[in-house]
Amino acid sequence: MPGDGLDVERLRADFPVLQRAMNGRRLAFLDSAASAQKPQVVIDAERDCYERYYANIHRGVYQLSQQSTQAYEGVRGTVQRFLNAADEREVVFVRGTTEAINLVAQSFVRPLLEPGDEILITGMEHHANIVPWQMVAEATGAHLVVAPVLDDGQLDMAGLRERIGPRTRFISVVHVSNTLGTINPVESIVELAQAHGIPVLVDGAQSAPHMSVDVQALGADFYVFSAHKTYGPSGAGVLWGRLAHLEAMPPYQGGGDMIRTVTFEKTEYAPPPQRFEAGTPNIAGVIAMGAGLEYMMTIGRDHILAHEKALLAYANERLQGLEGFRIIGNAPDKAGVLSFVMADAHPHDIGTILDMEGVAVRAGHHCTQPLMQRFDVPATVRASFGLYNDTTDVDQLVDALHRVKSLFG
Ligand code: PMP
């Protein structure tokens, strides 16, 4: 978009898959909220590891192992910079957002809970930020409390405030909704929680790919994200947690690489982050995740966010007046996510027709079934933007939606 500081044409060339045709059409990939495509530097980083220096880490005395250990451990510093964390020991490598939330639920929150205690989440959470809390609630007799969502897709902050009570032990909120695109005021939520002495986890699955995050300024206790959405590989991700918390937390899984000494009588655990990384990790995946984060930092996350917001504004404008078209999620502050329904056409049929036109979108409940119930829709179609999308992608989407309209209207 003019003036947003991104040379998208040049960036698109970094992504081999975007050069593919789809059903004989140019590929308009509009499903980055589910998973982003990978730039050549990420593909090369993973390939380079396997081709030149792959070996298991932390164990070998030989050079290959030392080299792969160095590359893997080096990514902690990359993540530290990416999040402006105070200490690289606060960076735990996990499989992704889901594993990070489960880890915090089981290791940090579960020991805090007594029957009747409360965990506060919001009505726009991904299943990954609902089910782990239900599991610990069920095991301890605690309850899940849910802050409501307003009709325009904003979080009801007054409703959230009202739900903080003497039994609230933990708050877990999504930074950016994967379904509505809403950017939540997480700084205010953290401030509110701190006033009550309640720790907070921020689900950054949809914020890390789109905007700068400064965990020290944010003040939260945990921040989590997945590499596959930040232009890296699947099967890798990050749990950032305050060092004092991580040091006090018991391990989540036991095994190799997370111990200091083991006897049959007693095991002494390693300090964090190793304490939480039992077993052989996703070595090449973590290294490639680092390449993805470096790629984003080189481009500049403020530029990425500005570009995606400009694309969203362009899409909103172009879609105005399309009869029967309704956007779900109209919060004033949104990231590049456009969820919608169309009268007389089921989201899955829309998705299939768009695919024939080379437009890849997601159709379904987006792992937010309670939110679908809140908005009284079975599913939505979701177009979501990444740094490589341009106005041609949006034009292709809009033209294809006119075709849907002509078929169903
Ligand atoms: N939270 C949000 C907001 C998400 O968008 C996603 C992924 N769709 C997740 C959590 C879960 O992430 P993952 O599947 O990578 O663990």
Side-chain angles (χ1 to χ4, degrees):
M1 302 287 294
D4 63 21
L6 279 200
D7 182 352
V8 177
E9 208 175 314
R10 190 178 59 75
L11 293 175
R12 284 180 67 82
D14 294 338
F15 292 80
V17 78
L18 297 182
Q19 321 310 320
R20 267 195 72 175
M22 206 48 66
N23 293 320
R25 301 288 310 268
R26 171 186 180 276
L27 169 63
F29 185 77
L30 294 171
D31 195 21
S32 298
S35 204
Q37 295 299 346
K38 319 304 172 198
Q40 193 66 51
V41 284
V42 166
I43 300 166
D44 287 349
E46 182 139 355
R47 188 190 171 118
D48 189 45
C49 168
Y50 285 127
E51 282 186 351
R52 287 201 316 113
Y53 63 90
Y54 177 78
N56 211 334
I57 56 168
H58 296 154
R59 300 173 175 89
V61 291
Y62 52 93
Q63 254 185 43
L64 281 184
S65 175
Q66 285 165 7
Q67 212 174 328
S68 56
T69 302
Q70 223 170 40
Y72 175 90
E73 286 300 329
V75 178
R76 271 189 236 280
T78 308
V79 176
Q80 183 187 0
R81 273 188 290 118
F82 188 76
L83 297 178
N84 191 32
D87 192 309
E88 67 173 41
R89 289 172 298 169
E90 297 182 328
V91 176
V92 181
F93 295 136
V94 289
R95 270 196 306 126
T97 304
T98 302
E99 187 176 47
I101 296 174
N102 277 277
L103 194 164
V104 174
Q106 294 294 337
S107 177
F108 183 79
V109 179
R110 187 174 170 162
L112 298 177
L113 297 176
E114 308 250 325
D117 281 346
E118 294 169 358
I119 303 155
L120 178 57
I121 62 170
T122 80
M124 64 175 90
E125 300 307 325
H126 187 278
H127 295 164
N129 203 23
I130 302 173
V131 183
W133 306 116
Q134 285 172 329
M135 288 165 65
V136 290
E138 204 169 306
T140 58
H143 306 293
L144 201 59
V145 176
V146 183
V149 176
L150 299 173
D151 287 344
D152 68 355
Q154 282 190 85
L155 182 60
D156 179 350
M157 279 300 282
L160 180 118
R161 207 170 290 120
E162 278 167 20
R163 282 165 179 76
I164 296 178
R167 302 301 303 264
T168 312
R169 292 285 167 267
F170 196 77
I171 300 178
S172 195
V173 289
V174 70
H175 195 170
V176 175
S177 161
N178 62 310
T179 300
L180 304 171
T182 309
I183 302 176
N184 283 320
V186 281
E187 294 82 2
S188 310
I189 296 170
V190 168
E191 213 174 293
L192 200 59
Q194 277 176 350
H196 292 82
I198 304 164
V200 181
L201 179 145
V202 174
D203 171 354
Q206 299 291 345
S207 55
H210 305 293
M211 60 186 72
S212 296
V213 174
D214 179 334
V215 289
Q216 295 188 69
L218 180 58
D221 295 86
F222 300 97
Y223 179 90
V224 302
F225 70 92
S226 302
H228 69 94
K229 297 185 204 272
T230 53
Y231 305 95
S234 52
V238 167
L239 160 65
W240 170 83
R242 287 174 181 279
L243 192 57
H245 288 330
L246 295 177
E247 279 172 340
M249 282 159 63
Y252 172 53
Q253 294 181 335
D257 232 22
M258 50 75 75
I259 50 88
R260 220 192 304 254
T261 58
V262 178
T263 64
F264 285 123
E265 288 70 40
K266 184 175 166 48
T267 289
E268 210 180 301
Y269 305 128
Q274 280 73 29
R275 184 184 303 166
F276 303 103
E277 294 179 13
T280 301
N282 183 0
I283 299 164
V286 165
I287 292 167
M289 165 168 75
L293 301 180
E294 293 287 6
Y295 181 76
M296 285 186 69
M297 287 191 276
T298 303
I299 294 169
R301 284 167 286 170
D302 293 347
H303 291 311
I304 295 173
L305 184 64
H307 171 70
E308 291 168 356
K309 281 189 168 187
L311 269 187
L312 185 65
Y314 177 73
N316 277 328
E317 191 188 299
R318 282 229 50 205
L319 286 162
Q320 255 176 28
L322 179 62
E323 211 189 302
F325 176 85
R326 180 161 67 95
I327 294 174
I328 308 291
N330 289 294
D333 198 14
K334 272 184 70 170
V337 172
L338 186 74
S339 258
F340 59 89
V341 290
M342 282 175 85
D344 306 322
H346 192 278
H348 285 115
D349 294 332
I350 299 172
T352 305
I353 294 167
L354 295 192
D355 182 47
M356 289 181 334
E357 304 287 328
V359 180
V361 293
R362 179 92 177 260
H365 54 64
H366 319 296
C367 297
T368 54
Q369 282 182 359
L371 197 57
M372 296 294 107
Q373 284 150 22
R374 160 69 181 84
F375 284 97
D376 203 19
V377 289
T380 73
V381 183
R382 181 187 68 189
S384 55
F385 305 126
L387 61 89
Y388 37 61
N389 290 118
D390 59 12
T391 51
T392 311
D393 293 324
V394 175
D395 291 339
Q396 211 170 317
L397 169 72
V398 175
D399 291 347
L401 288 175
H402 279 284
R403 183 160 163 69
V404 171
K405 180 80 194 119
S406 70
L407 289 171
F408 287 87

